[in-house]
Amino acid sequence: MASINEQLREQARKLLADKVVDLIIGYRKGSLPLRSTPYLVKTEEEAGSLIFDLTSSNNLAKYLPRVKTENRGSKIGIVCKGCDGRSVVQLIIEGQVKREDIVIIGVPCEGVVDTRKVRKKTGGEEVLRVSLPVLPGSGGREIMVEGRGFKITLDKEEVLCDVCLGCQHPNPPLYDLFIGRPREGSSARDEFKALEEFERLSSDERWRYFEHEASRCIRCYACRDACPLCYCEQCFVDETHPQWFGKGPDSSDTLIFHIVRALHTAGRCVSCGACVRACPVGINLNPLWVRIEKEVKERFGYTAGLSLEVTPPLATYDENDKQEFIL
Amino acid sequence: MSEGRKPKTEDQPWQPKIIAFLCTWCSYAGADLAGVSRIQYPPNIRVVRVPCSGRINPLFVLKCLQNGFDGVLISGCHPGDCHYISGNYVARRKFAILKTALEFVGVEPGRVQFSWVSAGEGEKFAEVVKKVTYDVQQLGPAKRLVKPR
């Protein structure tokens, strides 16, 4: 069987040659090991550089609204792993893109590598060469990392992103064609498993955690810029009239920024982890997002990005919603 | 209500500052009824009149906590009574998520409270204010999310 990269390139060439799509958003090899970079393919020749592997971490749905605006009238192909596909569904529901304007190329995702975890394993040493297990389903779990004076083998599970460990939807819920075979079953781990531990902490401990994380925030807004659902033309943090809250690095301001962003993405966030991976200082507020996702699921019975038919929970209501917290 | 009001009793020296967002169609009129009926309730609340509980942006609540309020009360119409048909239903979903998020990051549960009070429930309004004031008094001055000045 041809490797997933070969199949992907072949299908991409075909789509472009048959004029099914005008351009394709995908990944190509990045300039650093363990990194891939988003790639806009317009010619059959360029399609030869497409890849999909454990390093394809960016959520490509982010580029969809912008590419769509810049290329009016063209049909866009997009390579989607599970979370990208769910983000695309959300974008369609929210009217940002039209279903008929996009061709979703599904790929079976086995998780993406968290480069921070790898760096920890190498003791902070720079990784110069890697060899990854070839997808799909080669059964390969080992990742070989080489650097100056070391060569270690890591188990895939040890270095996958936290969100990938509890991933329940490795395949996009909606696709026009699929590369390889959809991955069967979901992660053995419960999606809210990591959260349980966190919920056992006392209120004080949780506060210390969140305040510490927020205090390191440098307000670069990389998290917002990496998020496929943060597509507002003017974000509330950029508004100056009224200026909703301070722009400095004060931990109260930064924490409020993150809380409000979490509230804005409530019932829409697909837990792709793009915000955590984008953060230059390694802030991990994922527990807050997962907690809200859990609340939305329990309270409103909704999981984001799975169906085009359901109205997002915060855009609608039910007269019989629980209201135990209201006096 | 003057800011410098002295505490009434010696055993309760600290008085919390609480902001109350009241829907003009129900709770605001409920507060008015409590007033004209001479029902006594703690003077710790500062009322902000809003057109509907659906008008309340979660950012308002966060901003109040950040800028010196010890507690926040949000009060709107009972389900089914909304002047705009569904404002309070939509708000209810928003508040449920807001409350979850606040408690999860470590803001004490009693700081931000929600209630339904109709225009005829002057008694209930006074009871709600008593409860919220008591809860916030027990928690003490707000320390979390507060911006140093």
Side-chain angles (χ1 to χ4, degrees):
Chain A
M1 196 169 68
S3 81
I4 192 147
N5 285 347
E6 285 159 28
Q7 291 181 55
L8 176 62
R9 287 166 196 166
E10 165 141 11
Q11 290 287 347
R13 274 190 212 108
K14 223 168 119 197
L15 287 174
L16 288 163
D18 299 347
K19 299 265 183 267
V20 179
V21 297
D22 300 295
L23 43 91
I24 295 173
I25 309 172
Y27 303 95
R28 73 169 161 187
K29 206 169 172 354
S31 50
L32 293 170
L34 284 175
R35 299 269 189 192
S36 63
T37 182
Y39 188 38
L40 206 59
V41 180
K42 288 189 172 164
T43 64
E44 287 174 55
E45 197 189 350
E46 286 171 337
S49 316
L50 283 173
I51 58 157
F52 179 75
D53 58 25
L54 291 175
T55 65
S56 305
S57 63
N58 293 56
N59 192 329
L60 296 180
K62 174 72 199 178
Y63 303 95
L64 208 44
R66 212 178 79 200
V67 170
K68 188 69 214 147
T69 322
E70 287 170 3
N71 300 274
R72 277 194 196 286
S74 48
K75 199 149 176 172
I76 298 168
I78 178 167
V79 177
C80 281
K81 51 188 185 294
C83 42
D84 302 32
R86 290 172 66 200
S87 305
V88 171
V89 168
Q90 277 300 126
L91 289 174
I92 297 171
I93 293 176
E94 295 171 16
Q96 294 302 309
V97 286
K98 291 203 186 92
R99 177 69 186 94
E100 60 269 24
D101 289 341
I102 48 174
V103 172
I104 300 172
I105 306 162
V107 282
C109 181
E110 309 235 344
V112 293
V113 170
D114 183 341
T115 47
R116 277 202 183 81
K117 285 191 184 171
V118 175
R119 227 185 153 83
K120 233 179 220 167
K121 294 278 176 197
T122 62
E125 286 294 320
E126 192 184 357
V127 175
L128 298 173
R129 260 187 309 283
V130 287
S131 79
L132 297 164
V134 185
L135 300 176
S138 58
R141 291 171 61 96
E142 286 166 3
I143 299 174
M144 285 247 279
V145 243
E146 270 179 75
R148 226 167 266 121
F150 70 91
K151 185 172 177 179
I152 49 173
T153 309
L154 301 167
D155 185 8
K156 198 179 85 180
E157 291 283 309
E158 294 177 318
V159 289
L160 284 188
C161 285
D162 288 343
V163 284
C164 299
L165 296 173
C167 178
Q168 303 292 307
H169 306 281
N171 311 303
L174 194 71
Y175 52 82
D176 299 293
L177 63 149
F178 205 91
I179 308 295
R181 254 197 318 251
R183 208 181 125 191
E184 277 168 36
S186 52
S187 164
R189 251 180 259 194
D190 181 353
E191 58 189 317
F192 301 128
K193 180 118 177 76
L195 183 68
E196 272 171 31
E197 227 171 86
F198 208 87
E199 279 182 315
R200 271 198 292 274
L201 298 178
S202 72
S203 171
D204 290 338
E205 286 168 314
R206 285 201 304 269
W207 171 255
R208 271 199 295 278
Y209 176 82
F210 283 111
E211 205 200 15
H212 174 68
E213 291 296 290
S215 68
R216 297 187 292 137
C217 179
I218 56 168
R219 301 289 284 265
C220 66
Y221 305 133
C223 45
R224 178 194 69 185
D225 293 344
C227 177
L229 294 167
C230 274
Y231 52 70
C232 292
E233 282 184 16
Q234 184 157 29
C235 179
F236 73 105
V237 288
D238 294 329
E239 279 187 31
T240 48
H241 194 75
Q243 186 182 324
W244 287 102
F245 60 105
K247 302 232 177 239
D250 181 84
S251 73
S252 146
D253 282 331
T254 52
L255 187 52
I256 287 179
F257 159 59
H258 291 291
I259 294 173
V260 176
R261 206 177 81 78
L263 295 172
H264 285 181
T265 54
R268 307 163 63 223
C269 171
V270 298
S271 285
C272 62
C275 46
V276 179
R277 288 192 292 272
C279 184
V281 290
I283 294 172
N284 182 5
L285 293 174
N286 205 50
L288 176 60
W289 266 258
V290 182
R291 177 69 188 86
I292 291 177
E293 192 187 343
K294 184 181 169 195
E295 188 70 19
V296 168
K297 192 172 183 182
E298 283 174 358
R299 213 171 253 278
F300 313 129
Y302 184 84
T303 306
L306 294 185
S307 157
L308 291 176
E309 311 302 322
V310 196
T311 318
L314 280 114
T316 182
Y317 63 88
D318 183 343
E319 289 171 11
N320 302 316
D321 280 335
K322 276 193 291 175
Q323 53 170 12
E324 78 294 339
F325 63 94
I326 297 176
L327 297 173
Chain B
M1 201 182 299
S2 79
E3 289 286 317
R5 178 175 285 234
K6 290 253 156 48
K8 278 189 180 152
T9 52
E10 289 302 314
D11 58 320
Q12 198 58 266
W14 176 74
Q15 292 295 325
K17 214 189 256 186
I18 297 166
I19 190 165
F21 291 99
L22 307 182
C23 162
T24 186
W25 300 101
C26 50
S27 304
Y28 190 81
D32 192 35
L33 181 65
V36 295
S37 312
R38 311 269 167 135
I39 302 166
Q40 297 292 309
Y41 63 83
N44 304 64
I45 63 161
R46 276 79 169 158
V47 175
V48 176
R49 184 185 187 183
V50 289
C52 177
S53 47
R55 170 68 184 92
I56 297 155
N57 185 329
L59 194 53
F60 295 174
V61 176
L62 293 163
K63 186 128 183 162
C64 290
L65 291 175
Q66 189 187 26
N67 289 303
F69 279 103
D70 303 301
V72 182
L73 166 66
I74 291 171
S75 191
C77 305
H78 286 275
D81 288 355
C82 181
H83 185 77
Y84 308 100
I85 316 297
S86 59
N88 55 356
Y89 286 133
V90 177
R92 184 165 64 183
R93 288 203 157 188
K94 212 161 34 175
F95 297 155
I97 301 296
L98 171 65
K99 196 171 165 61
T100 306
L102 282 178
E103 282 172 24
F104 191 66
V105 299
V107 174
E108 306 89 334
R111 287 250 184 250
V112 181
Q113 302 207 30
F114 307 87
S115 69
W116 301 141
V117 173
S118 80
E121 294 176 323
E123 284 282 358
K124 182 175 175 187
F125 182 80
E127 288 307 314
V128 166
V129 176
K130 275 180 206 157
K131 180 186 178 330
V132 173
T133 310
Y134 177 78
D135 288 353
V136 177
Q137 231 154 17
Q138 296 304 305
L139 290 169
K143 290 202 180 66
R144 291 173 183 178
L145 282 182
V146 180
K147 195 174 180 177
R149 286 178 181 273

mmCIF file of all heavy atoms in Angstrom, chain B residues 17-44:
data_model
loop_
_atom_site.group_PDB
_atom_site.id
_atom_site.type_symbol
_atom_site.label_atom_id
_atom_site.label_comp_id
_atom_site.label_asym_id
_atom_site.label_seq_id
_atom_site.Cartn_x
_atom_site.Cartn_y
_atom_site.Cartn_z
ATOM 1 N N LYS B 17 -19.019 45.579 49.311
ATOM 2 C CA LYS B 17 -19.584 46.417 48.256
ATOM 3 C C LYS B 17 -20.091 45.463 47.181
ATOM 4 O O LYS B 17 -19.314 44.665 46.636
ATOM 5 C CB LYS B 17 -18.482 47.312 47.699
ATOM 6 C CG LYS B 17 -18.971 48.677 47.273
ATOM 7 C CD LYS B 17 -17.864 49.391 46.546
ATOM 8 C CE LYS B 17 -17.216 50.460 47.405
ATOM 9 N NZ LYS B 17 -16.226 51.237 46.622
ATOM 10 N N ILE B 18 -21.377 45.530 46.902
ATOM 11 C CA ILE B 18 -21.957 44.582 45.951
ATOM 12 C C ILE B 18 -22.643 45.333 44.825
ATOM 13 O O ILE B 18 -23.349 46.318 45.062
ATOM 14 C CB ILE B 18 -22.984 43.668 46.667
ATOM 15 C CG1 ILE B 18 -22.262 42.831 47.735
ATOM 16 C CG2 ILE B 18 -23.687 42.749 45.672
ATOM 17 C CD1 ILE B 18 -23.175 42.155 48.707
ATOM 18 N N ILE B 19 -22.419 44.860 43.605
ATOM 19 C CA ILE B 19 -23.095 45.497 42.478
ATOM 20 C C ILE B 19 -24.239 44.588 42.037
ATOM 21 O O ILE B 19 -24.112 43.365 42.017
ATOM 22 C CB ILE B 19 -22.109 45.799 41.322
ATOM 23 C CG1 ILE B 19 -22.776 46.674 40.266
ATOM 24 C CG2 ILE B 19 -21.560 44.531 40.698
ATOM 25 C CD1 ILE B 19 -21.805 47.316 39.293
ATOM 26 N N ALA B 20 -25.389 45.213 41.755
ATOM 27 C CA ALA B 20 -26.541 44.413 41.338
ATOM 28 C C ALA B 20 -26.999 44.871 39.962
ATOM 29 O O ALA B 20 -27.342 46.039 39.761
ATOM 30 C CB ALA B 20 -27.677 44.570 42.344
ATOM 31 N N PHE B 21 -26.962 43.936 39.005
ATOM 32 C CA PHE B 21 -27.492 44.234 37.677
ATOM 33 C C PHE B 21 -28.944 43.777 37.660
ATOM 34 O O PHE B 21 -29.227 42.581 37.787
ATOM 35 C CB PHE B 21 -26.699 43.479 36.605
ATOM 36 C CG PHE B 21 -25.304 43.987 36.437
ATOM 37 C CD1 PHE B 21 -24.229 43.327 37.037
ATOM 38 C CD2 PHE B 21 -25.034 45.117 35.676
ATOM 39 C CE1 PHE B 21 -22.937 43.790 36.882
ATOM 40 C CE2 PHE B 21 -23.741 45.585 35.514
ATOM 41 C CZ PHE B 21 -22.684 44.918 36.115
ATOM 42 N N LEU B 22 -29.867 44.736 37.551
ATOM 43 C CA LEU B 22 -31.272 44.379 37.629
ATOM 44 C C LEU B 22 -31.990 44.679 36.310
ATOM 45 O O LEU B 22 -31.859 45.771 35.749
ATOM 46 C CB LEU B 22 -31.955 45.172 38.753
ATOM 47 C CG LEU B 22 -31.301 45.099 40.135
ATOM 48 C CD1 LEU B 22 -32.131 45.911 41.131
ATOM 49 C CD2 LEU B 22 -31.160 43.659 40.623
ATOM 50 N N CYS B 23 -32.785 43.703 35.886
ATOM 51 C CA CYS B 23 -33.591 43.877 34.683
ATOM 52 C C CYS B 23 -34.671 44.913 34.966
ATOM 53 O O CYS B 23 -35.369 44.842 35.983
ATOM 54 C CB CYS B 23 -34.208 42.543 34.287
ATOM 55 S SG CYS B 23 -35.585 42.711 33.154
ATOM 56 N N THR B 24 -34.802 45.872 34.086
ATOM 57 C CA THR B 24 -35.711 46.988 34.334
ATOM 58 C C THR B 24 -37.182 46.564 34.404
ATOM 59 O O THR B 24 -37.999 47.214 35.034
ATOM 60 C CB THR B 24 -35.518 48.075 33.256
ATOM 61 O OG1 THR B 24 -36.316 49.196 33.594
ATOM 62 C CG2 THR B 24 -35.934 47.573 31.877
ATOM 63 N N TRP B 25 -37.512 45.417 33.736
ATOM 64 C CA TRP B 25 -38.908 44.991 33.649
ATOM 65 C C TRP B 25 -39.382 44.207 34.868
ATOM 66 O O TRP B 25 -40.577 43.993 35.028
ATOM 67 C CB TRP B 25 -39.130 44.148 32.399
ATOM 68 C CG TRP B 25 -38.800 44.905 31.163
ATOM 69 C CD1 TRP B 25 -37.666 44.798 30.422
ATOM 70 C CD2 TRP B 25 -39.585 45.915 30.544
ATOM 71 N NE1 TRP B 25 -37.692 45.669 29.373
ATOM 72 C CE2 TRP B 25 -38.869 46.377 29.425
ATOM 73 C CE3 TRP B 25 -40.836 46.483 30.840
ATOM 74 C CZ2 TRP B 25 -39.351 47.366 28.581
ATOM 75 C CZ3 TRP B 25 -41.314 47.471 29.986
ATOM 76 C CH2 TRP B 25 -40.564 47.908 28.879
ATOM 77 N N CYS B 26 -38.436 43.704 35.669
ATOM 78 C CA CYS B 26 -38.869 42.863 36.786
ATOM 79 C C CYS B 26 -38.128 43.206 38.067
ATOM 80 O O CYS B 26 -38.664 43.867 38.943
ATOM 81 C CB CYS B 26 -38.711 41.390 36.432
ATOM 82 S SG CYS B 26 -37.072 41.006 35.794
ATOM 83 N N SER B 27 -36.846 42.797 38.137
ATOM 84 C CA SER B 27 -36.118 42.941 39.398
ATOM 85 C C SER B 27 -35.966 44.402 39.821
ATOM 86 O O SER B 27 -36.015 44.722 41.008
ATOM 87 C CB SER B 27 -34.748 42.287 39.295
ATOM 88 O OG SER B 27 -34.907 40.946 38.926
ATOM 89 N N TYR B 28 -35.788 45.280 38.823
ATOM 90 C CA TYR B 28 -35.649 46.696 39.163
ATOM 91 C C TYR B 28 -36.953 47.198 39.796
ATOM 92 O O TYR B 28 -36.951 47.907 40.809
ATOM 93 C CB TYR B 28 -35.310 47.498 37.906
ATOM 94 C CG TYR B 28 -34.913 48.923 38.200
ATOM 95 C CD1 TYR B 28 -33.628 49.229 38.617
ATOM 96 C CD2 TYR B 28 -35.837 49.962 38.071
ATOM 97 C CE1 TYR B 28 -33.250 50.523 38.900
ATOM 98 C CE2 TYR B 28 -35.469 51.268 38.355
ATOM 99 C CZ TYR B 28 -34.173 51.539 38.766
ATOM 100 O OH TYR B 28 -33.816 52.831 39.049
ATOM 101 N N ALA B 29 -38.065 46.778 39.193
ATOM 102 C CA ALA B 29 -39.370 47.147 39.760
ATOM 103 C C ALA B 29 -39.588 46.430 41.097
ATOM 104 O O ALA B 29 -40.212 46.970 42.012
ATOM 105 C CB ALA B 29 -40.477 46.784 38.775
ATOM 106 N N GLY B 30 -39.038 45.216 41.205
ATOM 107 C CA GLY B 30 -39.119 44.480 42.478
ATOM 108 C C GLY B 30 -38.382 45.219 43.577
ATOM 109 O O GLY B 30 -38.853 45.317 44.723
ATOM 110 N N ALA B 31 -37.211 45.782 43.231
ATOM 111 C CA ALA B 31 -36.441 46.557 44.197
ATOM 112 C C ALA B 31 -37.224 47.807 44.596
ATOM 113 O O ALA B 31 -37.242 48.211 45.764
ATOM 114 C CB ALA B 31 -35.097 46.946 43.603
ATOM 115 N N ASP B 32 -37.884 48.400 43.609
ATOM 116 C CA ASP B 32 -38.703 49.583 43.857
ATOM 117 C C ASP B 32 -39.847 49.244 44.808
ATOM 118 O O ASP B 32 -40.119 49.973 45.772
ATOM 119 C CB ASP B 32 -39.256 50.089 42.522
ATOM 120 C CG ASP B 32 -39.866 51.470 42.661
ATOM 121 O OD1 ASP B 32 -39.320 52.261 43.464
ATOM 122 O OD2 ASP B 32 -40.867 51.751 41.976
ATOM 123 N N LEU B 33 -40.463 48.097 44.541
ATOM 124 C CA LEU B 33 -41.576 47.668 45.398
ATOM 125 C C LEU B 33 -41.091 47.437 46.828
ATOM 126 O O LEU B 33 -41.750 47.841 47.795
ATOM 127 C CB LEU B 33 -42.217 46.393 44.846
ATOM 128 C CG LEU B 33 -43.411 45.879 45.645
ATOM 129 C CD1 LEU B 33 -44.573 46.859 45.590
ATOM 130 C CD2 LEU B 33 -43.871 44.515 45.131
ATOM 131 N N ALA B 34 -39.922 46.818 46.956
ATOM 132 C CA ALA B 34 -39.356 46.596 48.292
ATOM 133 C C ALA B 34 -39.183 47.939 48.987
ATOM 134 O O ALA B 34 -39.447 48.087 50.179
ATOM 135 C CB ALA B 34 -38.019 45.868 48.182
ATOM 136 N N GLY B 35 -38.765 48.940 48.214
ATOM 137 C CA GLY B 35 -38.565 50.278 48.759
ATOM 138 C C GLY B 35 -39.859 50.923 49.212
ATOM 139 O O GLY B 35 -39.974 51.358 50.365
ATOM 140 N N VAL B 36 -40.848 50.956 48.310
ATOM 141 C CA VAL B 36 -42.096 51.633 48.678
ATOM 142 C C VAL B 36 -42.862 50.865 49.751
ATOM 143 O O VAL B 36 -43.661 51.442 50.487
ATOM 144 C CB VAL B 36 -43.024 51.901 47.461
ATOM 145 C CG1 VAL B 36 -42.385 52.874 46.504
ATOM 146 C CG2 VAL B 36 -43.396 50.615 46.745
ATOM 147 N N SER B 37 -42.572 49.558 49.851
ATOM 148 C CA SER B 37 -43.227 48.767 50.900
ATOM 149 C C SER B 37 -42.476 48.858 52.227
ATOM 150 O O SER B 37 -42.837 48.208 53.195
ATOM 151 C CB SER B 37 -43.314 47.295 50.496
ATOM 152 O OG SER B 37 -43.810 47.160 49.190
ATOM 153 N N ARG B 38 -41.394 49.610 52.241
ATOM 154 C CA ARG B 38 -40.569 49.800 53.442
ATOM 155 C C ARG B 38 -40.036 48.479 53.987
ATOM 156 O O ARG B 38 -39.978 48.279 55.193
ATOM 157 C CB ARG B 38 -41.369 50.510 54.553
ATOM 158 C CG ARG B 38 -42.105 51.744 54.101
ATOM 159 C CD ARG B 38 -41.213 52.930 54.302
ATOM 160 N NE ARG B 38 -41.757 54.081 53.617
ATOM 161 C CZ ARG B 38 -41.821 55.282 54.167
ATOM 162 N NH1 ARG B 38 -41.427 55.454 55.391
ATOM 163 N NH2 ARG B 38 -42.271 56.292 53.472
ATOM 164 N N ILE B 39 -39.670 47.600 53.053
ATOM 165 C CA ILE B 39 -39.055 46.349 53.495
ATOM 166 C C ILE B 39 -37.570 46.619 53.701
ATOM 167 O O ILE B 39 -36.924 47.251 52.861
ATOM 168 C CB ILE B 39 -39.254 45.236 52.436
ATOM 169 C CG1 ILE B 39 -40.746 45.031 52.160
ATOM 170 C CG2 ILE B 39 -38.612 43.930 52.888
ATOM 171 C CD1 ILE B 39 -41.026 44.206 50.915
ATOM 172 N N GLN B 40 -37.054 46.177 54.848
ATOM 173 C CA GLN B 40 -35.659 46.460 55.151
ATOM 174 C C GLN B 40 -34.734 45.443 54.496
ATOM 175 O O GLN B 40 -35.001 44.249 54.530
ATOM 176 C CB GLN B 40 -35.440 46.396 56.672
ATOM 177 C CG GLN B 40 -36.226 47.447 57.437
ATOM 178 C CD GLN B 40 -35.720 48.861 57.154
ATOM 179 O OE1 GLN B 40 -34.531 49.134 57.256
ATOM 180 N NE2 GLN B 40 -36.637 49.760 56.807
ATOM 181 N N TYR B 41 -33.671 45.925 53.865
ATOM 182 C CA TYR B 41 -32.611 45.031 53.383
ATOM 183 C C TYR B 41 -31.278 45.759 53.440
ATOM 184 O O TYR B 41 -31.254 46.985 53.491
ATOM 185 C CB TYR B 41 -32.925 44.474 51.989
ATOM 186 C CG TYR B 41 -33.037 45.476 50.867
ATOM 187 C CD1 TYR B 41 -31.894 45.937 50.216
ATOM 188 C CD2 TYR B 41 -34.289 45.926 50.438
ATOM 189 C CE1 TYR B 41 -32.006 46.839 49.171
ATOM 190 C CE2 TYR B 41 -34.397 46.839 49.393
ATOM 191 C CZ TYR B 41 -33.253 47.284 48.766
ATOM 192 O OH TYR B 41 -33.356 48.176 47.738
ATOM 193 N N PRO B 42 -30.168 44.997 53.459
ATOM 194 C CA PRO B 42 -28.857 45.628 53.645
ATOM 195 C C PRO B 42 -28.567 46.677 52.572
ATOM 196 O O PRO B 42 -28.941 46.495 51.410
ATOM 197 C CB PRO B 42 -27.870 44.458 53.532
ATOM 198 C CG PRO B 42 -28.666 43.229 53.739
ATOM 199 C CD PRO B 42 -30.062 43.534 53.322
ATOM 200 N N PRO B 43 -27.914 47.756 52.973
ATOM 201 C CA PRO B 43 -27.638 48.850 52.031
ATOM 202 C C PRO B 43 -26.370 48.643 51.218
ATOM 203 O O PRO B 43 -25.815 49.593 50.702
ATOM 204 C CB PRO B 43 -27.485 50.042 52.969
ATOM 205 C CG PRO B 43 -26.870 49.451 54.183
ATOM 206 C CD PRO B 43 -27.397 48.052 54.316
ATOM 207 N N ASN B 44 -25.922 47.393 51.096
ATOM 208 C CA ASN B 44 -24.630 47.160 50.449
ATOM 209 C C ASN B 44 -24.674 47.099 48.931
ATOM 210 O O ASN B 44 -23.642 47.037 48.284
ATOM 211 C CB ASN B 44 -24.016 45.848 50.948
ATOM 212 C CG ASN B 44 -23.873 45.828 52.436
ATOM 213 O OD1 ASN B 44 -24.872 45.868 53.151
ATOM 214 N ND2 ASN B 44 -22.658 45.791 52.921
#
